[in-house]
Amino acid sequence: MKDAPAEPVNNETIEQTIERLGAVVPDYPKPGVVFRDLTPVFAGGEAFRAVVDSLLAEYKGRFDYVAGIEARGFLLAAAAAYAAGKGVLTVRKPGKLPRDTYSESYSMEYSENTLEVHQDDFPAGSRILILDDVLATGGTLGATARLIEQAGGIVAGFGVVLELRDLGGRTALHDYPVHALAAY
Ligand SMILES: O=P(O)(O)OC[C@H]1O[C@H](OP(=O)(O)OP(=O)(O)O)[C@H](O)[C@@H]1O
Ligand SMILES: Nc1ncnc2[nH]cnc12
């Protein structure tokens, strides 16, 4: 069951709030990339709350843990897990987790990287909601789904603040529910 909608900011839709506060940075971190910087959304107190509440409302009652992807996904996952009274899991860049891990490499819009999870951070069969700020090619979320499944979890779904449609991430993640608060 979905929760009630989040409190609007300035009588806007959540998409309008994200559009108003998000910054557009051409040629960062590489020439040709149009970087969508959501840090002003996170810094706007009411906007951050509305974003987290909106992501949670979509998946209410359908997850046991919230996983955040390093680094920007951590902000969303920690706030959402706290608000929902659930545990938070960290999906980390390589070499940061101290115990036995699963590891997955992937390509994304402007780099290649590896993500890791601990092998035993949650019981097998747990339903995991995965949060991140941006969905672009889907490389990052796809690798995260593979990690959660290797560790015995069930992907409850993905929640992102912003989807960049032209980069095809939703198609790449076709087996999973994807909820984006805004899309360009
Ligand atoms: O859909 P994709 O093409 O995979 O791109 C989306 C990812 O790109 C950014 O991560 P980045 O690796 O730049 O991490 P950061 O949060 O550490 O800056 C963003 O936070 C997403 O995780
Ligand atoms: N264009 C973009 N802006 C912000 N984050 C991203 N992650 C991948 N592509 C991105």
Side-chain angles (χ1 to χ4, degrees):
M1 199 212 327
K2 290 184 188 178
D3 208 352
E7 280 293 311
V9 180
N10 295 348
N11 286 321
E12 297 168 326
T13 65
I14 190 71
E15 184 158 21
Q16 288 168 335
T17 300
I18 293 163
E19 165 81 36
R20 175 171 57 84
L21 292 176
V24 182
V25 187
D27 297 321
Y28 179 87
K30 286 183 175 170
V33 176
V34 179
F35 192 84
R36 301 283 181 165
D37 175 22
L38 297 176
T39 56
V41 180
F42 296 165
E46 289 181 332
F48 182 57
R49 176 178 284 171
V51 159
V52 171
D53 288 349
S54 298
L55 291 170
L56 279 176
E58 180 67 20
Y59 289 105
K60 187 175 186 207
R62 295 194 279 132
F63 61 92
D64 305 307
Y65 292 86
V66 186
I69 304 170
E70 188 171 0
R72 293 173 256 157
F74 284 176
L75 301 169
L76 295 165
Y82 179 83
K86 302 290 186 187
V88 64
L89 305 172
T90 56
V91 182
R92 298 216 61 180
K93 301 276 165 61
K96 300 289 188 181
L97 292 172
R99 295 180 290 103
D100 288 346
T101 60
Y102 295 113
S103 190
E104 280 283 334
S105 295
Y106 61 98
S107 304
M108 42 116 42
E109 190 182 6
Y110 42 73
S111 68
E112 296 188 351
N113 217 322
T114 299
L115 287 171
E116 297 182 342
V117 295
H118 275 140
Q119 292 185 4
D120 63 355
D121 270 348
F122 53 83
S126 299
R127 300 166 302 168
I128 316 290
L129 171 62
I130 299 168
L131 299 185
D132 206 354
D133 63 335
V134 172
L135 168 61
T137 65
T140 304
L141 293 184
T144 301
R146 295 194 296 277
L147 289 169
I148 294 298
E149 288 171 358
Q150 278 181 76
I154 297 163
V155 176
F158 297 116
V160 297
V161 180
L162 181 60
E163 174 183 354
L164 304 177
R165 284 201 190 101
D166 288 352
L167 292 165
R170 188 178 287 267
T171 308
L173 300 169
H174 55 87
D175 286 341
Y176 299 101
V178 177
H179 182 62
L181 303 182
Y184 305 138

